[in-house]
Amino acid sequence: MKTKVWLSLSLALFSVLLGHCTAAEQAQIALTPPMGWNTWYGFFCKVTDADVRAQADEMVKNGMKAAGYEYVNLDDCWQGQRDSNGAIRANKNFPDMKALGDYIHSKRLKFGIYTSPGPKTCAEYEGSYQHEEQDARTYAEWGVDFVKYDWCSADNVYKASEMVSAYSKMHDALVQTGRPMLFSLCQYGLEHVWTWGSSVGGNMWRTTGDLKFTYDRITLVGFQQDGLERFAGPGHWNDPDILLPGIGKMTDDENRSQMSLWCLIAAPLIAAADLRTVSPSTLAILTNPEVIAVDQDRLGLQGHRVTAQGPLEVWAKQLSDGSKAVGLFNRGEGSMPITAYFKDLGVGETAVVRDLWNRKDLETFKEAFTAEVPTHGVIMIRVK
Ligand code: GLA
């Protein structure tokens, strides 16, 4: 009898301790916006184990890992059927998920996966509905570090008012496993997710529908993020979706615009281009250390719009060293001069300016900084 009591006391103590450890480790996740790579826009459902491994290899070789990209995220379409015990198995394109996780970890990168609170994912593969705890345990066994939880068919089984508890349920299941996993909410901004995303353990949450490979769609989504800044911070970020440089036909100016805006608004930086064929200029855009440093600034303050005059916008982000990162965006057709006034930015009368894309100090400016900005382009500076 005594032994039994001791055993259950020890077990209880162990699970409390495990809970504390997990909570402490979980609290260290995404202290700056997550960085990585995701299969969706580059591969959609035509994705295999070999493709994912190849991207991990490239991230190490091409300098992205050194620049801070760490998650290798497998999006939709990896799922097969459940086995007789209900455990999820991958389809034939992914012969051994644990081995894939081990491979990614052997590169000192992290492994991300995708599922849905609904019975089916958006591409009609098996979702986690009524298998949340079992799936969380399977992911932990596979060594998963990141779970994207995409609403999709959950609309058929939950009311909108049950969305919060559906997300909470999976978060609890993930925590229960004892393995820290970043929790990425994807439900396209429904139910003002930014107001409750962090309360269900969300480390990032999509704020809008999907992107398209056009400057118009990307900037529509990106510039729409103004006003959401108070909901973001270390551990929990607004997610305007994936970085598209290297996919579609966007120009370098357009790609720099997405990258600049995403960094100014402290967005997760998850690239999608096929890294085996990405051009040197796209890679330079994805890895510019001074631009990435704006995104990764430890204060974790999301930037916002300072002024907009027609298609000309000035955005700024406060940085931890007291300086401001500023983007001068030209959304119009044809090159135009744009001025950022220091009083609007809240900096003194004179300021030292550094050009972040070109990585060079400019002169000291009085009252304002003006630059000619190409069509669909950006000038990104640091002002002190
Ligand atoms: C939704 C999501 C995308 C992607 C696909 C996969 O559209 O918003 O990011 O995950 O599903 O089917």
Side-chain angles (χ1 to χ4, degrees), residues 40-41 75-76 114 121-123 148 150 152 186 188 206 210 241-242:
W40 187 243
Y41 286 118
D75 208 277
D76 207 347
Y114 166 102
T121 67
C122 292
K148 174 171 168 183
D150 192 355
C152 306
C186 178
Y188 342 111
R206 283 275 299 282
D210 291 7
D241 208 3
I242 279 162

Side-chain angles (χ1 to χ4, degrees), residues 228-296:
L228 297 185
E229 52 274 10
R230 72 192 169 91
F231 302 104
H236 51 98
W237 309 98
N238 290 308
D239 173 15
D241 208 3
I242 279 162
L243 289 174
L244 294 182
I247 301 192
K249 293 203 169 72
M250 274 173 312
T251 64
D252 283 352
D253 278 320
E254 293 174 333
N255 286 331
R256 272 190 288 272
S257 289
Q258 189 192 16
M259 189 72 188
S260 303
L261 189 52
W262 263 233
C263 290
L264 284 163
I265 59 180
L269 301 179
I270 313 283
D274 186 342
L275 303 176
R276 293 171 291 201
T277 51
V278 73
S279 73
S281 64
T282 299
L283 197 55
I285 291 170
L286 290 172
T287 55
N288 180 307
E290 299 194 27
V291 173
I292 289 178
V294 171
D295 183 74
Q296 295 292 303

Side-chain angles (χ1 to χ4, degrees), residues 161-384:
S161 59
E162 292 170 315
M163 191 180 276
V164 176
S165 60
Y167 276 91
S168 218
K169 186 172 192 174
M170 184 49 118
H171 184 250
D172 291 349
L174 295 174
V175 172
Q176 275 300 311
T177 67
R179 182 176 177 87
M181 292 185 245
L182 188 155
F183 192 37
S184 165
L185 275 50
C186 178
Q187 37 76 290
Y188 342 111
L190 295 172
E191 302 295 310
H192 299 98
V193 60
W194 41 87
T195 61
W196 53 266
S198 71
S199 75
V200 297
N203 298 111
M204 54 195 265
W205 46 81
R206 283 275 299 282
T207 53
T208 67
D210 291 7
L211 295 179
K212 290 194 185 102
F213 306 149
T214 65
Y215 175 80
D216 284 353
R217 175 66 187 159
I218 290 171
T219 46
L220 181 75
V221 165
F223 288 108
Q224 207 174 306
Q225 304 301 306
D226 188 50
L228 297 185
E229 52 274 10
R230 72 192 169 91
F231 302 104
H236 51 98
W237 309 98
N238 290 308
D239 173 15
D241 208 3
I242 279 162
L243 289 174
L244 294 182
I247 301 192
K249 293 203 169 72
M250 274 173 312
T251 64
D252 283 352
D253 278 320
E254 293 174 333
N255 286 331
R256 272 190 288 272
S257 289
Q258 189 192 16
M259 189 72 188
S260 303
L261 189 52
W262 263 233
C263 290
L264 284 163
I265 59 180
L269 301 179
I270 313 283
D274 186 342
L275 303 176
R276 293 171 291 201
T277 51
V278 73
S279 73
S281 64
T282 299
L283 197 55
I285 291 170
L286 290 172
T287 55
N288 180 307
E290 299 194 27
V291 173
I292 289 178
V294 171
D295 183 74
Q296 295 292 303
D297 184 79
R298 65 180 165 78
L299 270 189
L301 291 175
Q302 176 174 330
H304 59 96
R305 177 182 285 122
V306 177
T307 56
Q309 283 187 318
L312 311 180
E313 304 215 7
V314 175
W315 284 59
K317 179 185 199 280
Q318 177 69 54
L319 301 173
S320 52
D321 69 352
S323 66
K324 292 251 160 89
V326 182
L328 286 68
F329 294 90
N330 178 2
R331 300 175 71 179
E333 306 305 320
S335 143
M336 296 282 272
I338 305 183
T339 300
Y341 292 96
F342 295 163
K343 66 170 171 23
D344 294 339
L345 298 173
V347 294
E349 261 211 0
T350 49
V352 182
V353 175
R354 182 168 173 84
D355 178 331
L356 297 186
W357 280 111
N358 292 314
R359 304 188 64 191
K360 67 168 200 251
D361 288 330
L362 306 177
E363 328 141 28
T364 301
F365 287 78
K366 261 194 146 175
E367 284 172 24
F369 170 80
T370 302
E372 186 74 17
V373 185
T375 178
H376 293 185
V378 61
I379 301 287
M380 194 166 167
I381 53 175
R382 208 167 164 139
V383 181
K384 201 165 180 177

